[in-house]
């Protein structure tokens, strides 16, 4: 690795090579009332708008031809909006009649179209975002700025940014953006989570990456956390050869010596369930139910919830689905549940604590889960509660589930108290599932979304690993299974450590299943345990990661 390499935190495994393309700054609104100078050629100024619209349309259409699926459709739709004659004509009229400069005319014309769409509602209201995107692209073209949003290029590239908004990360096309590198962010930031979900190698918290010149070829190692400018030809050939290899999961998680490890999928929406089932997942280790409650002024009724949960259960007939009750609060506020603002919401009323103030919400949800389970007897339905901190809370939740006929009730281990009291808690609960994102946040006192403490917000921290071990020991003492459903499970190297610490199942984004399965299948249980001990006894997260990767040559062989 050369001296010019940038080191950050690898958050989405895989290696990729491509030219660096920087995320452009947002387009600023042109000053209101800005007009052409006296005597300026208004016809020529108006014609510039039409020319810019044609250029933006052609650029988007060219990118759409190189994209696939939803991304291609989105780009074609935006291209059509850029060529909309009514938008162009309105902007040109503002130049000719009001003498506005072209960029201000486009801004005002687009705002007028947006207001009309919002007033009409329905499908047209949903197009407002497209109008704004086109407006920004036209203004950028007219003012010789780089187009905003995800850059459009005729070739695949590595996206470099200070950080990425969740909405932008969710739209990344892996066929165009082969890797992501950010100067900010952390291992459990939304950028990291969404990059893993889309199978895009990613490195975050990489200081100095913004100094890399546009167009510089970068080799990104999303597991090791390294970014190498101008890599050797041999390194590039190796990465591209490994990129051509396609791994699948056969539905049987195991180590090299046959020790069984359930490899499950995380599901956040019924629409994702069938794809997760088709990936070979042995079940669902985390079914997030928040989707049914978001962007609402009141909670969904029992019938609506029953139908939604049933769609996921039906996709996993013959397998297990672990349903997590509502995890509201902190970074997932729900206005109808949280009337009063909290000074520190991460330590406030969230998860199971909501039930203390609104027991009706939990009761309705358990009723719906029980009805969905009864309607799909071929699926094994388990239920767990988030943010459980005491033995009393565990006992009360298990009792509430029992009243609804839900006999397999478990707890999320997300706070240190739950890890330390796993044995007593699992005397009541039937299983535990460790949420490594929050367990890391609360153990290290480091906001999972704050880039300034990204080095602390890392599940490789030895303190976090020891709490995982404590939970697994508590489960073993009560003969209860202990899984991990946090983002740590998707890291193939860390998966080996988790199994070595005594974890019995791993739940992750479906895209990670083949890689995790391949590494486990190449590693025997004794090696898992040796590496787990070395990691837990390390002095830092970086040392833990390094010592484990050094003991797993299969990672390099697989390009992970």
């Amino acid at each position: 690795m050369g001296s010019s390499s940038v080191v950050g935190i690898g958050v989405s495994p895989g290696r990729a090579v491509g030219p660096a393309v920087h995320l452009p700054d947002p387009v600023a609104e042109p000053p209101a009332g800005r007009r052409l100078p006296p005597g300026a050629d208004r016809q020529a100024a108006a014609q510039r708008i039409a020319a810019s619209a044609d250029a933006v349309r052609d650029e988007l259409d060219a990118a759409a031809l190189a994209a696939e699926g939803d991304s291609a459709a989105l780009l074609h739709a935006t291209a059509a909006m850029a060529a909309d004659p009514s938008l162009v004509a309105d902007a040109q009229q503002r130049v000719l009649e009001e003498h506005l400069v072209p960029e201000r005319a486009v801004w005002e014309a687009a705002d007028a179209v947006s207001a009309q769409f919002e007033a009409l509602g329905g499908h047209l209201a949903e197009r407002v975002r497209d109008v704004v995107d086109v407006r920004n692209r036209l203004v950028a073209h007219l003012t010789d700025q780089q187009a905003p949003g995800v850059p459009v290029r005729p070739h695949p590239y590595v996206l470099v940014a200070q950080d990425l908004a969740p909405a932008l990360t969710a739209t990344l096309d892996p066929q165009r953006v082969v890797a992501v590198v950010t100067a900010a962010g952390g291992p459990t930031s939304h950028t990291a989570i969404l990059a893993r979900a889309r199978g895009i190698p990613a490195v975050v918290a990489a200081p100095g990456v913004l100094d890399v010149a546009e167009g510089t070829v970068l080799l990104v190692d999303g597991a090791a956390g390294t970014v190498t400018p101008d890599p050797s030809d041999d390194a590039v050939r190796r990465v591209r050869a490994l990129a051509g290899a396609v791994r699948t999961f056969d539905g049987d998680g195991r180590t090299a010596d046959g020790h069984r490890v359930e490899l499950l999928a995380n599901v956040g929406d019924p629409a994702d369930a069938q794809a997760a089932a088709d990936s070979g997942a042995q079940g669902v280790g985390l079914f997030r139910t928040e989707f049914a409650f978001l962007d609402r002024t009141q909670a969904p009724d029992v019938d609506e919830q029953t139908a939604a949960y049933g769609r996921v259960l039906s996709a996993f007939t013959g397998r297990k689905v672990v349903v997590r009750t509502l995890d509201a609060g902190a970074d997932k506020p729900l206005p109808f549940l949280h009337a009063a603002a909290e000074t520190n919401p991460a330590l406030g009323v969230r998860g199971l604590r909501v039930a203390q103030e609104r027991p009706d919400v939990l009761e309705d949800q358990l009723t719906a889960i029980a009805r969905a389970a009864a309607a799909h007897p071929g699926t094994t339905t388990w239920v767990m509660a988030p943010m459980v901190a005491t033995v009393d809370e565990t006992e009360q939740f298990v009792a509430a589930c029992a009243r609804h006929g839900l006999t397999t009730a478990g707890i999320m281990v997300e706070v240190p108290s739950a890890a330390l009291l796993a044995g007593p808690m699992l005397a009541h609960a039937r299983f535990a599932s460790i949420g490594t994102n929050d367990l890391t946040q609360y153990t290290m006192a480091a906001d999972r979304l704050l880039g300034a403490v990204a080095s602390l917000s890392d599940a490789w921290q030895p303190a976090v690993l020891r709490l995982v071990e404590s939970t697994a020991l508590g489960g073993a003492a009560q003969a209860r299974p202990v899984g991990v459903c946090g983002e740590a499970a998707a890291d193939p190297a860390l998966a080996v450590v988790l199994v070595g610490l005594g974890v019995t199942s791993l739940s992750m984004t479906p895209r990670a299943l083949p890689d995790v399965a391949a590494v486990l299948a190449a590693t025997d249980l004794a090696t898992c345990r040796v590496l787990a001990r070395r990691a837990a006894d390390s002095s830092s997260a970086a040392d833990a990661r390094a010592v484990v990767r050094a003991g797993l040559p299969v990672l390099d062989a697989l390009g992970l």
Side-chain angles (χ1 to χ4, degrees):
M1 188 184 305
S3 59
S4 60
S5 294
V6 176
V7 179
I9 299 175
V11 295
S12 183
R15 296 174 188 169
V17 173
V21 173
H22 288 260
L23 184 73
D25 294 330
V27 172
E29 178 179 354
R34 187 179 173 194
R35 289 176 166 76
L36 294 167
D41 187 340
R42 283 174 280 163
Q43 288 289 349
Q47 183 54 37
R48 286 185 60 214
I49 295 175
S52 290
D54 288 342
V56 169
R57 179 200 61 204
D58 292 346
E59 183 180 70
L60 290 168
D61 274 334
L65 292 175
E68 296 179 356
D70 292 342
S71 296
L74 178 63
L75 289 166
H76 277 307
T78 309
M81 179 68 72
D84 181 2
S86 61
L87 174 62
V88 172
D90 186 358
Q92 290 180 317
Q93 186 176 8
R94 293 171 189 267
V95 170
L96 297 172
E97 296 183 359
E98 301 176 35
H99 302 186
L100 292 176
V101 294
E103 59 270 24
R104 183 65 203 180
V106 165
W107 194 277
E108 292 187 7
D111 281 354
V113 173
S114 296
Q116 292 172 0
F117 282 5
E118 285 179 344
L120 291 170
H123 175 68
L124 286 175
E126 297 174 1
R127 299 299 307 277
V128 169
R129 181 177 298 177
D130 296 335
V131 176
V132 171
D133 185 19
V134 167
R135 177 198 71 191
N136 292 344
R137 290 179 183 278
L138 287 173
V139 170
H141 192 273
L142 287 164
T143 55
D144 295 321
Q145 299 179 63
Q146 191 172 353
V150 180
V152 176
R153 295 290 187 275
H155 51 73
Y157 61 86
V158 174
L159 181 61
V160 176
Q162 173 66 24
D163 203 354
L164 297 179
L168 187 147
T169 311
T171 65
L172 295 182
D173 180 355
Q175 300 300 316
R176 291 195 299 146
V177 179
V178 296
V180 170
V181 186
T182 64
T188 56
S189 65
H190 290 301
T191 296
I193 293 169
L194 290 167
R196 277 191 290 270
R198 301 187 73 78
I200 300 173
V203 175
V204 302
V209 73
L210 297 181
D211 296 330
V212 174
E214 180 100 4
T216 302
V217 175
L218 300 178
L219 190 161
V220 179
D221 188 328
T226 58
V227 183
T228 306
D230 299 318
S232 67
D233 292 341
D234 285 345
V236 171
R237 279 194 292 270
R238 178 168 170 73
V239 168
R240 288 178 174 161
L242 288 170
V246 177
R247 282 186 288 275
T248 58
F249 175 43
D250 64 6
D252 184 14
R254 61 200 179 280
T255 60
D257 52 341
H259 176 73
R260 300 292 175 181
V261 182
E262 275 192 306
L263 298 184
L264 312 167
N266 292 341
V267 172
D269 188 286
D272 303 330
Q274 192 56 55
D278 294 342
S279 71
Q282 293 174 262
V284 175
L286 171 61
F287 174 24
R288 303 180 180 94
T289 56
E290 291 76 49
F291 74 92
F293 295 79
L294 298 175
D295 301 322
R296 301 181 67 115
T297 57
Q298 60 183 12
D301 61 27
V302 170
D303 289 342
E304 182 180 347
Q305 291 186 57
T306 301
Y309 305 154
R311 291 200 293 275
V312 174
L313 298 183
S314 65
F316 282 89
T317 300
R319 287 176 271 185
K320 176 179 73 178
V321 173
V322 182
V323 185
R324 184 180 69 186
T325 56
L326 180 62
D327 187 14
D331 60 334
K332 297 184 285 287
L334 297 177
F336 65 89
L337 289 179
H338 298 87
E342 297 176 342
T343 303
N344 192 343
L347 301 179
V349 180
R350 58 168 298 198
L352 184 61
R353 299 171 184 178
V354 172
Q356 297 174 359
E357 297 185 359
R358 291 288 305 274
D360 58 303
V361 173
L362 178 61
E363 285 297 306
D364 282 355
Q365 190 166 29
L366 293 178
T367 298
I369 295 169
R371 289 183 183 177
H376 298 85
T379 303
T380 301
T381 304
W382 293 11
V383 187
M384 64 181 178
M387 281 296 291
V388 179
T390 68
V391 175
D392 284 346
E393 289 175 346
T394 303
E395 194 170 5
Q396 291 164 11
F397 178 72
V398 171
C401 290
R403 289 194 299 272
H404 291 272
L406 298 166
T407 57
T408 309
I411 57 169
M412 288 282 290
V413 174
E414 299 166 283
V415 296
S417 66
L420 296 171
L421 292 173
M425 288 183 170
L426 286 170
H428 301 282
R430 295 287 298 276
F431 68 96
S433 187
I434 303 171
T436 50
N437 299 352
D438 274 323
L439 182 61
T440 301
Q441 172 175 240
Y442 294 127
T443 300
M444 304 306 297
D447 188 333
R448 56 188 281 194
L449 303 180
L450 184 61
V453 292
S455 61
L456 293 173
S457 187
D458 189 341
W460 281 94
Q461 289 287 352
V464 176
L465 298 179
R466 292 188 181 197
L467 288 175
V468 171
E469 183 177 34
S470 175
T471 306
L473 289 172
Q478 300 291 347
R480 305 295 199 201
V482 172
V484 168
C485 64
E487 294 301 316
D491 180 336
L494 190 47
V496 167
V497 172
L498 297 173
V499 171
L501 293 173
V503 167
T504 59
S505 67
L506 300 168
S507 190
M508 63 202 75
T509 174
R511 286 180 179 270
L513 287 167
D515 290 342
V516 171
V519 173
L520 287 177
T523 312
D524 60 39
L525 183 59
T527 301
C528 292
R529 288 171 173 165
V530 168
L531 294 176
R533 187 75 273 137
R534 290 176 184 172
D537 290 344
S538 294
S539 60
S540 69
D543 287 348
R545 184 184 283 106
V547 74
V548 171
R549 291 188 63 83
L552 291 172
V554 65
L555 295 173
D556 190 57
L558 296 176
L560 297 173

